[in-house]
Amino acid sequence: MSSQDEYLRNFAVLLTEKGVVALTDPMQIAVYNCLTTGSKRPSDISAEFSIPSSSLHFVLDKMVDAGVIIRSKPNPEKKSVYYSNLAMKIAGSFESDENAAKTSENTFKDPSRYYSGLSSVASMFDNYTSEIGLELDQLRSKYAIEYADHFKDDIGKCGIEDAIIKIREIFARTTGTKFSVFGLNPLTLVFEGDIEIKTKMDMFTQFIIRAVENATDRTYIVLDIEDYSNESGTRMKVGFDRIQKVPEPYLNTSLHQNNNFDRFMMIELDGVAGLMTSDVQLDIVDAVYERPLCITDIVNKIQSPRSTITSNLLRMVEEGIISVFYSESGSAYYGLSCSILMKKSRPIQYNKNAIGEILKSVKTKECAFLEGYFRYTLAVLNNFGFDTDYMMVVLGARYMRAAGNEGPKNFDAFFGMMSDIAQVIGLSLNIVSVYPLTIGINNTQSSEMKPAITFVKGMAHQGLEMASDGIFVRSSNGTLEQENISFREIYPALSMTPVEGVRLEELADAAPAKKKRTSSVKTALHNRSMKDTGKPARTVRYITAVVMLMFVSSLMLFSFGSDSGSDADAYTVDVDDSSMGLVFYDENDEILTMPISVGVGSTISFKAYIPESDKIGVVKNGIAYPLEPTDDRYEVVVDSDITIETLSPIILPECGGYNAGIYNFDENPSSEYANSFQMYISQDDYIKESGGLWGGSNCVVVIDAVNGSYVSPVGDEKDTYLWERYVSWDLDLSDYEIEEIPENHYTIMFDGKFEVDGKFVKGELKTTARIHSGIKFISTDGPVQLMSIDANGKVRNLNIDDGMFRLYVYGDYIEVDYQQNLLK
């Protein structure tokens, strides 16, 4: 599924001036992480990643356009350009380790060991995000800074000695952790506490750095951290170094945010955080979130074509996001088998007062530092348009699985565990009714307890399903004094008994069963069953119960029981979405419904009716390979997943004087991407590899004129622009020829990205006209200041708002530069 960029384990969610965006390109994520240490030149970044500068500049330009990074020239008299981060990272992925998983497991088994109240939930939240590799570092740092600012008046202005004494008292009261002064020059502190402080050192040190800066106007950074822990306790020695304060780029978050925003969802699958970006798959997850549904119900709920839903479901089944299981009648149902962490569901809506109230309330509480982080993080994420209730449900379910793993597996025992942790948090539970089972949650008047109440809902839901092996839906209602949660069982005929270690070979001799699925469903589940990642067992729906492997077993019994096992390994044959009207027929002239799944090395035979001028074929590594029929039938040996599409002839200019490059992209590229692409295949190599010149729906042809010539339309209608490189999505270029560039031409040098006559331009462009209308500046959003410099060095400035401007060429040469819009 990762090949479609629908489920990604490497991602970053950023706050830009344009809103919240999901960064999914690995190279852009690497560049952003590289710039977290400070501004760098393109050559520095290129050397760090060992990639060509030409490839890097394309990445940098895209990131500047998106508002992720900013380009600056510290010295206008020099050409050196520096890049620095502008966007703030809200969340991201990182590689977790076994220690984080072990620490998290211990925390969930006994969350009240070190904390009480909401801090116990906060500890579970903090350890869980570390376990699954969900990075919240910049939010943690931002919280520590803003929390320290709330003590600014309490500390006042003073010297470093007095400041440390005051900060030490505040720190001990708010965190429950002590530190002692090892030295003041350089500043060195020793922290002492329980083992939990190891995972909180980034926030602790950031709090002290900010508090010292507020009091003394001195700026420090952490130089090193040494661990002196032993059996008697945890001790961390931290060395600080004084630095010159560097102003951070100003991120203007007050800009108007429209209702258009990118939808995405952070989930946990196989114990690892990931990102889903496909709109169709997000709709499918929403549809089956509460309960499993059959394909017809999903189609009706989403209102999308059945073929679209089916193809996406198959990919989600194979990845493990969706599980397939069956009723006693054999009907297939699709249920969620991943955990939703949070969902971007609305535009940004800032409520700074709410955040201020949170910081103010925890300031006066004893040992409330971690509670403040928890409440602050949820409030900030809500401001950014995220629905975080999902995370609370997951935490409650995660606790119930850890706590209920040992001891009796009945609801009475589970309810006792629920009541104990609810009391630690500051809530109390009672049974309101037995049928339907309704649990009352008391002490719900305080708004700060809302996340804890959602935590209890997930915990109760998980406990009930663990005790009964059933699937339940819940509903809530209540009064100011008490909130009631009612549970109703659905699909009682579906077994929820786990089956450990299911292997395909163990099911080979299963008894025949009624076949209710397509071969594509069979293949998807087989591919999923063959994965051996060493990760925890998949979880069921949003409450993440380990109960779905039985359905994998059942499906394999259905799928392979009546076969000889010839499709133990299989590939998918599909049709490209753009090849509308392309219909295939089997040996009986019956229409084949795509996609189909066939065994490895199998030969498929079919008919296809297409226009005489076209062919059908497959695209691989940028080259289109036509298929040739024999007696009106096509035969293909399937040795990998293939997608068949309609191919059209590529017709190049008959004249010489040019080099042609061809490439078939996976999806239609933008003009900018196509112009910057460096891996076009020469026409000779293309013909040698494929046997002809054919292109698919996303084929692009580039013509590079040689020896001082340009690409020109045939006839009297000459273009005023002398295109030395012509990029075309039209595969018929027979109406173009190569001509010499006339002596009386003008040269425009574009420093930045522009569109001229609808075509992307960067660098040198020759023209036969002085006056040019409709040129568009596209490097950044306006307003910006353009500067034109003619051959005599005369500078002219022009302020533009929407990117469009008119240009007059003075002399025979002019350079167009721009000044980045300075952030106030």
Side-chain angles (χ1 to χ4, degrees):
M1 180 171 284
S2 56
S3 61
Q4 284 85 22
D5 284 348
E6 290 153 349
Y7 173 70
L8 304 113
R9 298 182 188 270
N10 185 19
F11 67 92
V13 178
L14 307 177
L15 174 65
T16 71
E17 291 187 334
K18 300 176 183 179
V20 176
V21 300
L23 203 64
T24 57
D25 179 69
M27 191 65 212
Q28 293 188 36
I29 295 173
V31 169
Y32 181 90
N33 292 335
C34 170
L35 295 178
T36 55
T37 57
S39 300
K40 294 184 180 180
R41 297 173 300 176
S43 57
D44 299 330
I45 306 173
S46 178
E48 184 167 333
F49 295 122
S50 301
I51 60 173
S53 297
S54 57
S55 301
L56 177 64
H57 277 291
F58 173 65
V59 174
L60 295 175
D61 289 343
K62 288 188 69 175
M63 297 179 72
V64 170
D65 291 348
V68 174
I69 62 176
I70 187 171
R71 182 192 298 114
S72 61
K73 292 182 180 180
N75 189 344
E77 297 180 358
K78 295 183 178 180
K79 293 185 177 181
S80 297
V81 175
Y82 285 79
Y83 290 89
S84 56
N85 284 337
L86 176 60
M88 184 190 86
K89 182 187 283 189
I90 299 172
S93 58
F94 73 95
E95 196 73 27
S96 188
D97 56 33
E98 293 183 0
N99 290 332
K102 184 177 180 180
T103 302
S104 178
E105 184 69 19
N106 292 334
T107 299
F108 277 100
K109 285 182 177 180
D110 188 9
S112 61
R113 182 177 182 182
Y114 301 113
Y115 300 99
S116 61
L118 277 179
S119 293
S120 60
V121 181
S123 178
M124 289 185 275
F125 171 80
D126 190 39
N127 283 282
Y128 175 69
T129 54
S130 297
E131 176 190 359
I132 64 174
L134 180 62
E135 178 196 333
L136 300 170
D137 288 357
Q138 291 195 28
L139 286 183
R140 294 164 68 92
S141 176
K142 197 168 183 292
Y143 162 70
I145 290 172
E146 293 193 29
Y147 190 50
D149 288 345
H150 270 66
F151 293 95
K152 190 173 184 179
D153 294 336
D154 300 72
I155 300 171
K157 287 292 184 181
C158 54
I160 183 66
E161 296 89 348
D162 293 335
I164 289 295
I165 292 173
K166 293 179 180 179
I167 294 169
R168 180 169 58 185
E169 185 277 326
I170 291 172
F171 184 80
R173 176 172 56 82
T174 57
T175 66
T177 301
K178 299 178 180 179
F179 72 78
S180 57
V181 181
F182 186 84
L184 289 175
N185 190 18
L187 179 62
T188 307
L189 306 177
V190 177
F191 294 79
E192 298 181 52
D194 56 60
I195 194 172
E196 285 278 304
I197 70 170
K198 289 187 177 183
T199 61
K200 314 295 186 296
M201 290 305 300
D202 59 328
M203 290 192 288
F204 288 171
T205 54
Q206 187 63 66
F207 173 84
I208 292 172
I209 287 172
R210 183 66 168 197
V212 169
E213 181 181 333
N214 289 337
T216 66
D217 294 326
R218 296 181 180 182
T219 303
Y220 290 87
I221 60 170
V222 174
L223 188 62
D224 56 62
I225 299 180
E226 298 178 76
D227 189 349
Y228 288 96
S229 304
N230 53 36
E231 294 181 357
S232 62
T234 303
R235 291 181 180 86
M236 309 295 291
K237 180 182 176 183
V238 182
F240 298 85
D241 189 23
R242 188 176 176 183
I243 61 169
Q244 188 71 29
K245 186 176 178 61
V246 179
E248 295 183 358
Y250 174 70
L251 181 63
N252 188 358
T253 56
S254 62
L255 296 177
H256 172 70
Q257 303 289 335
N258 58 37
N259 290 326
N260 296 322
F261 60 91
D262 294 332
R263 295 172 61 209
F264 53 86
M265 180 185 293
M266 281 178 265
I267 67 172
E268 181 249 304
L269 179 67
D270 288 340
V272 179
L275 192 78
M276 289 183 63
T277 58
S278 165
D279 285 337
V280 175
Q281 296 191 15
L282 291 176
D283 290 337
I284 291 174
V285 169
D286 285 340
V288 301
Y289 174 68
E290 289 190 351
R291 66 184 71 190
L293 298 175
C294 66
I295 183 68
T296 302
D297 290 339
I298 297 174
V299 170
N300 293 336
K301 198 167 186 178
I302 298 178
Q303 296 295 307
S304 290
R306 191 182 185 94
S307 58
T308 301
I309 300 298
T310 301
S311 60
N312 279 275
L313 271 174
L314 294 179
R315 292 197 292 269
M316 297 171 78
V317 167
E318 185 169 337
E319 187 61 42
I321 295 172
I322 294 291
S323 285
V324 185
F325 50 99
Y326 297 86
S327 66
E328 290 181 338
S329 64
S331 299
Y333 288 82
Y334 296 85
L336 197 60
S337 57
C338 66
S339 303
I340 302 176
L341 303 178
M342 59 187 82
K343 180 170 65 174
K344 184 73 170 72
S345 57
R346 58 185 180 276
I348 294 177
Q349 294 177 336
Y350 288 103
N351 186 356
K352 293 184 178 179
N353 292 333
I355 294 176
E357 288 298 319
I358 291 173
L359 296 174
K360 184 178 178 181
S361 68
V362 296
K363 175 184 175 181
T364 57
K365 285 186 177 182
E366 297 285 334
C367 301
F369 183 91
L370 196 57
E371 174 189 330
Y373 161 66
F374 173 63
R375 293 171 57 193
Y376 173 91
T377 301
L378 296 185
V380 170
L381 291 171
N382 284 322
N383 278 352
F384 292 156
F386 289 94
D387 187 344
T388 57
D389 283 351
Y390 296 98
M391 174 71 84
M392 295 302 98
V393 172
V394 170
L395 288 180
R398 176 75 171 82
Y399 164 75
M400 197 66 250
R401 291 197 307 279
N405 193 39
E406 298 176 358
K409 301 296 190 294
N410 57 70
F411 189 73
D412 288 340
F414 291 156
F415 186 76
M417 298 173 189
M418 297 177 206
S419 298
D420 291 342
I421 190 62
Q423 189 173 6
V424 170
I425 296 171
L427 302 171
S428 61
L429 306 182
N430 64 287
I431 301 294
V432 177
S433 68
V434 176
Y435 188 82
L437 177 62
T438 303
I439 299 175
I441 308 175
N442 300 308
N443 193 20
T444 63
Q445 294 172 317
S446 175
S447 60
E448 69 187 51
M449 298 304 292
K450 181 182 176 183
I453 295 170
T454 309
F455 171 89
V456 170
K457 291 178 182 179
M459 177 176 61
H461 202 151
Q462 177 71 86
L464 181 60
E465 294 202 350
M466 289 172 65
S468 66
D469 283 349
I471 302 178
F472 293 80
V473 293
R474 71 168 186 267
S475 59
S476 301
N477 61 79
T479 64
L480 292 176
E481 294 77 21
Q482 176 172 292
E483 182 163 352
N484 296 329
I485 318 167
S486 298
F487 296 93
R488 182 170 59 87
E489 188 174 15
I490 59 172
Y491 307 127
L494 295 179
S495 173
M496 296 290 286
T497 305
V499 176
E500 301 291 344
V502 174
R503 291 291 180 186
L504 183 64
E505 55 267 27
E506 297 172 359
L507 302 171
D509 298 327
K514 184 190 294 186
K515 194 169 183 179
K516 298 285 289 185
R517 287 141 302 286
T518 67
S519 57
S520 296
V521 175
K522 180 196 304 180
T523 302
L525 275 161
H526 167 68
N527 291 340
R528 187 177 92 179
S529 71
M530 295 299 289
K531 294 181 180 179
D532 187 14
T533 61
K535 298 289 183 180
R538 279 199 181 85
T539 56
V540 174
R541 306 189 299 121
Y542 63 95
I543 58 175
T544 62
V546 189
V547 290
M548 293 304 294
L549 289 177
M550 181 57 158
F551 303 132
V552 179
S553 172
S554 300
L555 182 63
M556 291 179 180
L557 286 170
F558 285 142
S559 301
F560 297 98
S562 59
D563 295 334
S564 62
S566 61
D567 54 0
D569 292 304
Y571 289 119
T572 300
V573 180
D574 205 350
V575 183
D576 183 66
D577 292 338
S578 62
S579 300
M580 300 298 292
L582 188 58
V583 180
F584 298 106
Y585 301 86
D586 62 15
E587 61 275 8
N588 299 320
D589 284 336
E590 298 288 339
I591 295 179
L592 283 171
T593 302
M594 296 294 188
I596 60 174
S597 183
V598 299
V600 174
S602 299
T603 300
I604 60 171
S605 176
F606 57 87
K607 285 183 180 180
Y609 299 100
I610 56 175
E612 291 185 3
S613 59
D614 293 340
K615 290 181 178 289
I616 62 170
V618 296
V619 171
K620 186 176 182 181
N621 297 327
I623 298 177
Y625 297 87
L627 301 175
E628 297 297 340
T630 301
D631 297 330
D632 294 331
R633 299 195 66 82
Y634 296 87
E635 289 191 352
V636 180
V637 177
V638 183
D639 55 8
S640 65
D641 292 335
I642 62 172
T643 300
I644 300 173
E645 60 181 283
T646 303
L647 306 182
S648 300
I650 301 173
I651 305 175
L652 299 175
E654 294 183 359
C655 61
Y658 68 88
N659 295 317
I662 305 164
Y663 200 87
N664 291 267
F665 293 88
D666 291 336
E667 52 186 49
N668 193 27
S670 65
S671 177
E672 176 184 347
Y673 187 85
N675 276 271
S676 306
F677 190 65
Q678 302 291 321
M679 300 182 64
Y680 286 102
I681 302 167
S682 71
Q683 62 189 84
D684 292 337
D685 290 343
Y686 196 95
I687 294 173
K688 182 179 179 181
E689 181 66 26
S690 71
L693 286 176
W694 296 88
S697 57
N698 298 318
C699 182
V700 176
V701 180
V702 58
I703 303 293
D704 287 312
V706 299
N707 300 327
S709 54
Y710 71 101
V711 182
S712 171
V714 175
D716 297 331
E717 292 291 332
K718 299 298 181 184
D719 199 337
T720 57
Y721 299 106
L722 311 178
W723 303 103
E724 295 174 89
R725 161 169 276 210
Y726 190 81
V727 179
S728 175
W729 281 256
D730 185 356
L731 303 187
D732 186 354
L733 294 160
S734 58
D735 289 337
Y736 288 84
E737 59 187 357
I738 308 300
E739 295 190 358
E740 291 187 5
I741 297 176
E743 294 184 2
N744 56 337
H745 69 271
Y746 312 102
T747 301
I748 307 172
M749 177 60 71
F750 290 106
D751 183 5
K753 295 181 291 186
F754 295 78
E755 282 186 0
V756 177
D757 199 22
K759 299 179 180 65
F760 175 82
V761 176
K762 183 178 181 181
E764 186 178 280
L765 175 63
K766 295 181 175 63
T767 178
T768 57
R770 285 190 180 275
I771 301 175
H772 302 273
S773 299
I775 299 180
K776 186 175 182 180
F777 172 77
I778 60 172
S779 285
T780 65
D781 292 336
V784 294
Q785 184 182 71
L786 295 181
M787 297 163 288
S788 66
I789 308 171
D790 61 25
N792 297 321
K794 176 70 174 177
V795 178
R796 297 173 177 83
N797 296 324
L798 174 65
N799 292 315
I800 61 173
D801 291 325
D802 60 359
M804 300 295 294
F805 66 97
R806 189 181 185 205
L807 179 66
Y808 184 84
V809 182
Y810 297 89
D812 58 1
Y813 174 87
I814 191 169
E815 181 178 350
V816 182
D817 201 347
Y818 72 95
Q819 181 174 334
Q820 178 75 32
N821 183 25
L822 298 179
L823 299 173
K824 299 179 181 179

